[in-house]
Amino acid sequence: MAQVSPADLKSLPNLPGYTFPEYKENYGRPNSWNVVNGVRIEQKEGFSHDKPKFVKVSKVQDVWRSGSLPDSQTRAVFKNAGKDIQFQELPAWDAFDRHVLRFSGYFKESVVETNLENFRVRKVVIYYYLEDDTCQIQEPKQDNSGMPQGQLIRRHRFPSLEGGYLKAEDIRVGSALQIYGRSIFVTDCDPFTREYFEQAGVPQGPPEPEETDPFQETRDAMKNHAPVQPRTYEKIYREVMLGGGHINADMQQFLENDKKVLRFYAVLDDVTTPQFERRPFTIMFFLADDTIEIREQYPLNCGRDNFPIFFRRGKMPMGAYKVEGPQAQARKKNEFVHGHDFRVNMTVQLLGTNHFFLYDADEFTRKYFINELGEELQPRVDVRLPERAVPRAKTPPYTGYGSWDDSMGSVTHLIPKLPKKDFVKLFRHEGKVLRFKAKFANPKPEDADRIFVMSYYLQDDTFAIHEPPQRNLGIVTGRFLEKGIHMNQVTGELFQPNDLIPGNIVKVYNNEFLIVDMDEYSKKVFENPDALLRKFDLEAVLQKLRDSMRQQYPLVRDIFRRFDGDHDGVLTVAEFQQALEKFGFQLAPEDVLKIMRHFDTRKDGQVSYNEFCDALLDPDWTTVMLHTNHPLDDSHDHAYAERAMVKTAERAETTQVRKAVRELGDVLYKKHNFIIRVLKEMQHITHEDHVSAEQIKDALEQVGHSFHIEDVQRAILYLEPEADLSAVDYRKLFRDVVTSFHDVSASR
């Protein structure tokens, strides 16, 4: 009998008759959710035994509240059931949530651009997230370092040199960490990290000293450098031995402690008001003259008048505050309140009956107590009161009656106001309608062939649904949803254009629709929302523009002044475009230039008053029977567009020059004897007759009038075109400003 060898079914073609049926033992659908140790976890589909990373943690003892009743048999069984179970397994994302190991370190970077230093030590902080074994390296920002700092390596799983990924055990204090070609020396870790490794049985080493570089040494030397030699008791003794040193005690205290202030933060429990209030204060003790000032820190919406000075700076006597007359005996120095008597977590009685609780002090005050008094202040005390929960009524659902803005006006205002319309949006998106093709998402058999057209109007965010007629459909077609502001029940918000992208499902009035397609116009609008897709007949636009302008005012002069915004006697491209937009024409910049070129007969990039009259008015008489106007040139002239832009820039600069000369003339000409004050100020600045433009600006600022340096330069070059801005004869300049004041006309 011949031996039968098994056939390789993979080499057979995948055709009918060449395959064998596969029989399954389990037809159940795989579940991607599971419950392990009472915790819901997500599993990969098809892998029933695959589960995320689990860790062992101490089990919290279950408590049965017995109260005053004796324990029953059931409760005794419950208490003794979990005594032997000390640990339990939990997923890492649950047990180690927000548990981060933090290490400090540095790495060296060579510096070749300067001869002052050869290398730079860059300090970093390494974060290891226990929940997913990812790492992140941050570099603290340093002032004037000259290099970008912050996130050095983003958060992800770092590769290890031995293969695989970096683990928490691989980061050790005193060792080097190799990451992407950089060697980072780990110097220290925070207390939480040390406690974590001690519990794991692998404690970290002691902190290592950080290496310094020439740049850091220079920065530290700048901080410790004293501008003058300190005044010591030996120096005072030597001065007395030489015949001097008669010290004024108060002046000595002022010189040693000037600008040194002890700042304590306190609260005052005010029980005099109908509602209990805890008022925050700042108590400042000035070491220069032993005075005290108390300021109140007003919280947001506290309802108090803004008068922060609770006690004006001065010496505060102990006990009750009394107003003493000139015959009263002067108080001794020890009868006044001194800042050395204050401590954190202490209640002091000031100004008679005011009890202040000192709960914190600033960093300078803490260092002062340690260095000067040899005493360390207590840590900050939390004095915050629990926040009051302000009840807020839930916004009621939209009923569908009236518009959305009207309904929300009744919710947000006690007296409803008329909703404001966005006229800029109405004008910019007038006539823009996005149309989408849709069908029912879960249709009945008789509704499977129904097609709907959804229209979204960008000008007012309204939405409508129309069902086009179909032959032999058997259903009355037409308007399915009236135009209005409607809510998308899928998102719970009003309809937006992004909700109607093909492939999305929308729900309105419990009808679910699947967006199938959109028209070409909608596709172009989504690509460029500000595109002007509407085409105009420029000849018709020109004729309508002429007719509309004639109907504005009876005189052409008034029409020209209406559109000449800066009153400079010409119309630029921007002003001409505003005139077209006023009459409802949203044209592209190229089309605006074509119409403007028809008005501009000289082709200089701007329309003068005479050119405007020639284009707007009909000729008084003609030499031919049927006179026709010149046709509109529909071609785009790049040279004319460039000239128009240059003229626009020139007109803007001309306006700035006229404004600068006019403002300088208002200061020097209109104010009586003001020019004498300016001349005296110039003599204080310099004894020379020629000054720079910056010096003229400074002199005007000293007498109370601030000018930009560009405006001063514009005025100088307008009055003296050949002047040097670094050497200006200011007397001649001021004389020219006064004499030419009436020559520069103001805008009417």
Side-chain angles (χ1 to χ4, degrees), residues 597-609:
R597 190 173 54 182
H598 180 78
F599 281 78
D600 186 10
T601 56
R602 293 184 298 181
K603 302 297 185 292
D604 57 350
Q606 59 187 6
V607 179
S608 63
Y609 175 69

Side-chain angles (χ1 to χ4, degrees), residues 37 39 53-61 85-97 99 130 196 199:
N37 293 335
V39 179
K53 175 184 175 182
F54 273 74
V55 294
K56 286 187 177 182
V57 296
S58 300
K59 183 180 179 181
V60 181
Q61 185 178 2
I85 304 176
Q86 299 180 356
F87 297 95
Q88 62 178 352
E89 288 189 350
L90 290 177
W93 56 264
D94 186 14
F96 290 150
D97 183 26
H99 287 198
L130 295 173
Y196 172 80
Q199 293 179 359

Side-chain angles (χ1 to χ4, degrees), residues 274-302:
Q275 188 176 7
F276 174 77
E277 184 179 3
R278 177 163 288 178
R279 299 164 58 183
F281 289 87
T282 301
I283 302 177
M284 294 178 289
F285 181 80
F286 297 86
L287 295 171
D289 52 0
D290 296 339
T291 56
I292 289 181
E293 181 176 339
I294 302 178
R295 288 177 171 266
E296 185 171 4
Q297 307 297 324
Y298 291 105
L300 186 64
N301 298 328
C302 65

Side-chain angles (χ1 to χ4, degrees), residues 498-659:
N498 293 330
D499 298 341
L500 303 174
I501 296 177
N504 290 355
I505 294 179
V506 297
K507 187 176 182 181
V508 54
Y509 292 107
N510 299 327
N511 293 313
E512 290 189 354
F513 297 92
L514 175 63
I515 309 301
V516 179
D517 197 4
M518 68 172 67
D519 59 357
E520 293 296 331
Y521 179 83
S522 302
K523 292 180 181 179
K524 294 180 181 179
V525 171
F526 271 99
E527 292 175 358
N528 187 7
D530 297 330
L532 300 175
L533 304 177
R534 186 178 177 182
K535 299 297 182 181
F536 289 93
D537 185 2
L538 297 184
E539 287 285 353
V541 171
L542 179 60
Q543 295 300 327
K544 185 174 181 180
L545 180 63
R546 294 177 59 188
D547 297 340
S548 301
M549 285 183 174
R550 291 172 183 175
Q551 296 175 6
Q552 287 286 316
Y553 296 99
L555 299 179
V556 182
R557 177 193 61 190
D558 298 334
I559 300 174
F560 186 83
R561 288 179 177 177
R562 173 68 176 80
F563 298 113
D564 187 12
D566 51 0
H567 304 287
D568 56 355
V570 293
L571 296 180
T572 57
V573 179
E575 295 171 343
F576 210 86
Q577 187 171 5
Q578 291 179 0
L580 289 171
E581 291 180 353
K582 182 182 182 301
F583 297 108
F585 300 110
Q586 298 185 25
L587 301 179
E590 296 81 6
D591 297 336
V592 175
L593 289 172
K594 293 176 184 177
I595 298 179
M596 181 177 172
R597 190 173 54 182
H598 180 78
F599 281 78
D600 186 10
T601 56
R602 293 184 298 181
K603 302 297 185 292
D604 57 350
Q606 59 187 6
V607 179
S608 63
Y609 175 69
N610 294 331
E611 293 173 339
F612 186 79
C613 293
D614 295 339
L616 191 62
L617 298 177
D618 295 330
D620 296 335
W621 56 276
T622 59
T623 58
V624 295
M625 183 63 66
L626 296 176
H627 176 74
T628 57
N629 295 326
H630 295 287
L632 184 66
D633 189 2
D634 199 15
S635 62
H636 181 65
D637 190 353
H638 294 280
Y640 181 78
E642 186 175 354
R643 288 197 298 272
M645 294 297 108
V646 171
K647 286 295 182 180
T648 302
E650 290 180 357
R651 285 298 170 182
E653 182 63 24
T654 303
T655 304
Q656 294 294 333
V657 171
R658 180 183 290 111
K659 180 182 177 183

Side-chain angles (χ1 to χ4, degrees), residues 40-58:
R40 297 182 179 89
I41 63 173
E42 182 181 3
Q43 295 177 338
K44 297 180 180 179
E45 187 175 354
F47 299 89
S48 60
H49 299 289
D50 187 15
K51 61 181 182 179
K53 175 184 175 182
F54 273 74
V55 294
K56 286 187 177 182
V57 296
S58 300

